[in-house]
Amino acid sequence: MEKILQELNEEQRKAATTIDGPILVLAGAGSGKTKTITTRLAYLISIGIDPASILTLTFTNKAAKEMRERALSMLDSTIYPPLLCTFHKFGLLFLKFHIQRLGRDNNFVIIDTDDKKRILKSFKPDIAIPLIASEISKYKNTLIDPETAIANAKLPNYKKIANYYQKYQEYLEKNNLVDFDDLLVLTYKILDQDEALCQEISQKYQFIMIDEYQDTNELQNLLVKKLCTAHNNICVVGDDDQSIYGWRGANVKNILEFPNEFANTKVIKLEKNYRSTQKILEAANNLIAHNRNRLGKTLVATLGEGDDIDIKSYTDEQQEASEIGKKILSLIDKGVSPKEIAVLFRINALSRSIEEAFNKLSLPFKLVGAIRFYERAEIKDIISYLRIITNPLDDFSLKRIINKPKRGIGKATVEKLEREAKKSRVSILEYLNNTDADTLAALVGKKNAKTLNAFITTIKQLQEFAQNQGLYNFIEEFENKIGLKKYYASMPDGFERIANIDEFYGLFRDYVKQNPENSLEDFINDLSLQSDQDQIGGDAISIMSVHASKGLEFGHVFIIGLEEGFFPLTGDGCDIEEERRLGYVAMTRAKERLYLSHVQSRFYKGRRATLDKSRFIGEAGLCKASVKIEKRAGFKKGDLVRHKIFGIGRVIGVSRAGREYKLTINFGGQQRDILSSFVERV
């Protein structure tokens, strides 16, 4: 064991050998976090601590498996391994022994996301099922039961969702089912209501370790406190600067406030970086230093200075993608493996131009953790509509979109139409066009017949518009009549889906401008050629969102789309500090070379817009910042400030808004509440 400890640096060794009391290990990017945790686990067992009294929790089965194997490989022998699993696996094991305390049988069945949606669908809701499923998950993870949800719901839609939540929960209990969230919710409830059991479980696990603590949500944080009821031997490992999952419930305050929650916490910082060069780390350190809410650490490279960061400005996304593709071709020609190259973006819609450029250059790539642009459901829906408009014989496309947006046309109705169309030896669309209203009503019912007639009328109008008025304004007419953006806006990931739809609409407009003589059919055919990529094998360039890149590393990293509004995202609901943490994560994926790019114009919400380069480039110390970003509130009544959209205004009020400051600003007679990080002092 001593030999293994000698492989650690001073701070890693301190983290591995400190045993008693609460410990917070702040592990910077590339600082050997997993090595430190696994060594600590092996060290505890090597000094005689019973493996059965050690509990280590993490977030993925893959991480748990790797950590277990690495820890046990350091030991000569151990009678049985310690419990090292995900939060949810711990919940499952716990409930198998204790769920009867809630009056439930322990032969419960765990349902997955698809099962959950099928149950909700059986209630025939008039609200999008993904939205209901998402809200139920939020209720559960904040320990809100159906009765409380119903009592507190103010808006009509949320009243409905709360009622569906109650029906759903009753269904689960009646059928002895447990969903993914219940694994933690029910575990917490049992520990909360049974103090003796809570003490017993806490005594059983005398030493607790938790990985990626910055990614815990409120419920997981409360569960951890229950497990520490009888002692405070808890070691949490994480990086507040890499907390990037606020959108799915992770709460960075859990790690920020850990020293306040557990008295006499020892804070150990792992700041030696074994991944990146000093030039890359300096930029990342400079950027993240602008965040107010952090515990603070500075990464230091062990690999030397390295090359300067490459920053490029391009005219538009086509030039950006093309030039990056050429640069990557040059790197591969020099012997760099494609698997050591990654292209990162903040918004998934930005992948489209990169995918197309790489296809043209025959570069091998894989889209990691996301669906290729043309394979995304919302894009396939648009293409299916366009195919139907140009080709009435396309039953495959018709069946995809006949009930998108929802029109109440179910599977049984489609099957009846398909059967009758086959009898007449025509396509479904031709059958609908040729069938009188009474015959159709007799087949599918009056309500469905009326809906189908309206659908046919819409398709005919769009066909006539494309033929008679050209394609220049076609896409606006299409969206007005079909309303796909409104349909997808109601979903939990609606922002991303609408961004993808806008990207496609922008692509369409650009195609029409460049090919004014071409038809809708030409567009669809050209699209088919662009969006197909041969199956790739072996080494491939990784194209992915910054979220998907966390935990990975590459020799050469290209970060695209560094413009205000794209990276960082700005506007209502955006957290500028989490955006900065995303920038920090993106930069620290690079080992040898980091390439940053921004464009002067890009399709934005379906229109080409002139854009400003990201404030992050200036904050990282890579150019002279044109805007001074306030590190503190520092605003008072009477200050003149400038906002990117609303212009210059005067501050008439200042108040706290969580960890931010909310400014009430008079913009030329119009009063608005704006977070302080989105304005600059004039």
Side-chain angles (χ1 to χ4, degrees):
M1 199 66 221
E2 186 56 37
K3 181 188 172 189
I4 292 166
L5 288 171
Q6 283 174 359
E7 294 176 5
L8 305 182
N9 66 39
E10 185 182 345
E11 292 305 302
Q12 289 173 331
R13 185 177 179 127
K14 189 189 296 183
T17 57
T18 303
I19 299 169
D20 298 316
I23 305 159
L24 168 58
V25 180
L26 275 182
S31 63
K33 176 194 69 142
T34 304
K35 184 178 184 180
T36 305
I37 298 173
T38 51
T39 305
R40 185 177 192 272
L41 183 55
Y43 179 78
L44 290 174
I45 296 169
S46 75
I47 61 173
I49 289 170
D50 182 1
S53 68
I54 304 170
L55 171 64
T56 304
L57 297 175
T58 187
F59 279 84
T60 66
N61 291 315
K62 182 183 174 185
K65 182 174 182 286
E66 181 191 352
M67 287 164 62
R68 185 185 301 108
E69 288 171 354
R70 285 174 67 167
L72 295 180
S73 71
M74 297 180 199
L75 299 165
D76 294 329
S77 65
T78 184
I79 305 166
Y80 44 82
L83 182 55
L84 198 165
C85 61
T86 65
F87 273 92
H88 291 89
K89 179 67 180 291
F90 174 79
L92 170 61
L93 296 172
F94 179 87
L95 291 178
K96 282 294 179 185
F97 285 101
H98 303 293
I99 198 170
Q100 66 270 18
R101 293 168 190 262
L102 295 173
R104 303 269 299 267
D105 293 333
N106 72 348
N107 64 342
F108 60 84
V109 174
I110 302 170
I111 62 169
D112 61 19
T113 305
D114 285 341
D115 296 326
K116 180 178 182 179
K117 288 178 179 175
R118 273 198 292 271
I119 293 166
L120 291 171
K121 191 175 181 181
S122 71
F123 305 145
K124 298 191 166 108
D126 56 354
I127 297 173
I129 287 170
L131 177 62
I132 302 171
S134 172
E135 289 303 312
I136 287 174
S137 187
K138 286 178 188 173
Y139 284 137
K140 289 193 176 190
N141 279 283
T142 48
L143 297 172
I144 295 172
D145 58 33
E147 293 73 22
T148 307
I150 291 168
N152 292 342
K154 302 292 184 230
L155 298 172
N157 267 9
Y158 280 86
K159 280 277 187 194
K160 287 181 182 178
I161 290 170
N163 280 304
Y164 290 131
Y165 175 25
Q166 186 172 49
K167 281 185 180 181
Y168 170 74
Q169 204 55 34
E170 286 169 356
Y171 184 97
L172 294 191
E173 290 175 18
K174 181 182 174 184
N175 293 279
N176 203 23
L177 304 174
V178 167
D179 69 17
F180 200 60
D181 296 316
D182 285 334
L183 294 173
L184 298 188
V185 173
L186 300 181
T187 296
Y188 177 80
K189 280 183 178 176
I190 292 167
L191 291 173
D192 190 48
Q193 68 187 27
D194 193 327
E195 195 173 326
L197 178 64
C198 192
Q199 284 283 339
E200 180 190 323
I201 297 297
S202 184
Q203 290 283 4
K204 179 179 179 180
Y205 299 112
Q206 284 287 323
F207 295 90
I208 296 172
M209 278 198 289
I210 301 168
D211 187 22
E212 304 285 13
Y213 201 66
Q214 78 280 351
D215 293 337
T216 53
N217 64 20
E218 191 55 38
L219 175 57
Q220 288 159 339
N221 189 47
L222 290 170
L223 186 56
V224 168
K225 289 178 185 174
K226 288 292 179 190
L227 295 174
C228 293
T229 300
H231 61 82
N232 63 356
N233 293 329
I234 177 170
C235 173
V236 301
V237 185
D239 184 0
D240 54 324
D241 292 334
Q242 294 188 73
S243 179
I244 60 172
Y245 297 115
W247 52 276
R248 71 180 186 200
N251 195 338
V252 69
K253 82 174 179 63
N254 293 344
I255 194 167
L256 292 174
E257 296 177 6
F258 184 85
N260 301 327
E261 297 281 352
F262 291 88
N264 303 314
T265 293
K266 299 181 185 77
V267 179
I268 301 168
K269 297 181 181 181
L270 306 185
E271 297 175 298
K272 280 189 179 176
N273 178 283
Y274 297 92
R275 176 189 298 156
S276 309
T277 63
Q278 189 60 34
K279 290 273 178 75
I280 293 168
L281 294 184
E282 276 176 11
N285 287 333
N286 288 339
L287 174 63
I288 204 65
H290 284 74
N291 273 6
R292 292 193 296 272
N293 299 304
R294 61 188 296 257
L295 295 165
K297 64 185 175 314
T298 302
L299 295 180
V300 178
T302 59
L303 301 177
E305 281 291 302
D307 295 318
D308 287 339
I309 292 169
D310 187 295
I311 306 168
K312 289 286 190 293
S313 174
Y314 297 110
T315 305
D316 56 26
E317 67 273 21
Q318 278 89 15
Q319 188 190 22
E320 178 184 53
S322 177
E323 292 301 317
I324 286 172
K326 289 173 187 173
K327 178 68 180 173
I328 290 174
L329 272 176
S330 172
L331 290 172
I332 292 171
D333 286 343
K334 290 174 184 173
V336 176
S337 169
K339 68 182 179 184
E340 276 296 318
I341 303 170
V343 180
L344 309 183
F345 43 77
R346 172 67 182 89
I347 298 174
N348 282 328
L350 267 61
S351 76
R352 193 264 307 168
S353 54
I354 295 291
E355 290 176 56
E356 290 184 2
F358 284 17
N359 276 331
K360 285 173 185 172
L361 293 167
S362 298
L363 282 167
F365 71 86
K366 59 183 177 182
L367 199 61
V368 180
I371 304 165
R372 287 185 187 159
F373 185 79
Y374 293 105
E375 292 173 6
R376 290 169 182 145
E378 58 275 19
I379 303 304
K380 280 185 154 185
D381 289 345
I382 301 169
I383 293 170
S384 293
Y385 266 107
L386 298 184
R387 283 176 174 158
I388 278 296
I389 290 164
T390 58
N391 178 14
L393 304 178
D394 188 349
D395 280 357
F396 179 78
S397 294
L398 182 83
K399 285 190 282 184
R400 179 181 179 89
I401 50 86
I402 198 166
N403 200 39
K404 280 188 182 178
K406 289 190 181 299
R407 301 183 176 92
I409 305 299
K411 188 179 175 184
T413 300
V414 174
E415 285 173 353
K416 286 177 185 176
L417 294 172
E418 195 170 18
R419 192 163 55 244
E420 293 302 313
K422 277 182 181 174
K423 279 183 193 175
S424 305
R425 297 186 178 181
V426 293
S427 70
I428 296 173
L429 193 64
E430 286 176 312
Y431 173 78
L432 289 170
N433 272 321
N434 300 335
T435 305
D436 63 80
D438 291 339
T439 305
L440 189 59
L443 178 68
V444 299
K446 283 185 180 179
K447 186 180 176 185
N448 281 347
K450 187 178 178 184
T451 302
L452 288 165
N453 281 324
F455 171 72
I456 293 300
T457 301
T458 301
I459 297 298
K460 283 179 181 174
Q461 288 170 344
L462 288 170
Q463 286 170 335
E464 288 167 7
F465 191 98
Q467 288 164 8
N468 301 331
Q469 299 190 46
L471 298 183
Y472 191 76
N473 294 314
F474 174 81
I475 211 71
E476 284 81 4
E477 184 71 7
F478 173 81
E479 178 57 37
N480 287 338
K481 289 200 174 295
I482 304 299
L484 279 175
K485 284 166 71 171
K486 185 180 177 184
Y487 169 64
Y488 278 111
S490 65
M491 298 186 180
D493 56 352
F495 177 86
E496 278 285 356
R497 288 179 183 268
I498 290 170
N500 290 333
I501 291 170
D502 282 334
E503 174 75 4
F504 186 89
Y505 288 173
L507 165 70
F508 183 90
R509 290 189 189 95
D510 204 43
Y511 179 89
V512 172
K513 283 178 188 174
Q514 291 179 25
N515 305 278
E517 301 302 316
N518 286 13
S519 66
L520 195 54
E521 193 172 359
D522 292 327
F523 172 74
I524 293 166
N525 291 336
D526 287 352
L527 205 61
S528 299
L529 295 173
Q530 283 181 341
S531 58
D532 285 337
Q533 189 202 18
D534 294 333
Q535 284 296 98
I536 55 167
D539 289 351
I541 303 149
S542 296
I543 303 176
M544 67 182 86
S545 70
V546 179
H547 282 103
S549 75
K550 188 169 177 287
L552 303 176
E553 57 182 45
F554 303 90
H556 296 257
V557 170
F558 293 79
I559 306 174
I560 67 168
L562 278 161
E563 303 104 30
E564 287 293 301
F566 284 89
F567 201 176
L569 286 181
T570 53
D572 291 345
C574 291
D575 178 349
I576 192 63
E577 297 218 346
E578 182 153 320
E579 291 297 309
R580 228 175 249 120
R581 293 193 291 269
L582 275 164
Y584 174 84
V585 166
M587 288 179 176
T588 53
R589 299 310 94 200
K591 295 190 287 187
E592 299 168 39
R593 291 297 307 272
L594 178 61
Y595 308 81
L596 311 179
S597 64
H598 60 96
V599 298
Q600 293 159 29
S601 82
R602 190 184 292 278
F603 279 122
Y604 183 58
K605 295 189 175 176
R607 302 279 180 187
R608 184 159 292 283
T610 302
L611 301 168
D612 296 325
K613 71 182 172 189
S614 171
R615 71 186 78 178
F616 290 172
I617 298 173
E619 290 181 356
L622 299 171
C623 72
K624 187 176 179 182
S626 57
V627 176
K628 181 180 183 298
I629 305 300
E630 298 287 339
K631 291 190 183 181
R632 299 177 182 80
F635 293 98
K636 62 183 185 302
K637 277 187 180 182
D639 282 349
L640 276 178
V641 294
R642 179 185 288 111
H643 184 274
K644 185 173 176 249
I645 304 297
F646 306 122
I648 292 175
R650 190 172 296 278
V651 177
I652 57 176
V654 182
S655 61
R656 272 311 279 217
R659 294 190 177 88
E660 271 274 19
Y661 285 89
K662 182 172 73 178
L663 307 179
T664 304
I665 306 169
N666 182 348
F667 293 99
Q670 190 161 18
Q671 188 174 305
R672 296 181 185 275
D673 291 335
I674 305 285
L675 293 179
S676 57
S677 55
F678 288 90
V679 299
E680 59 169 321
R681 197 193 312 281
V682 175

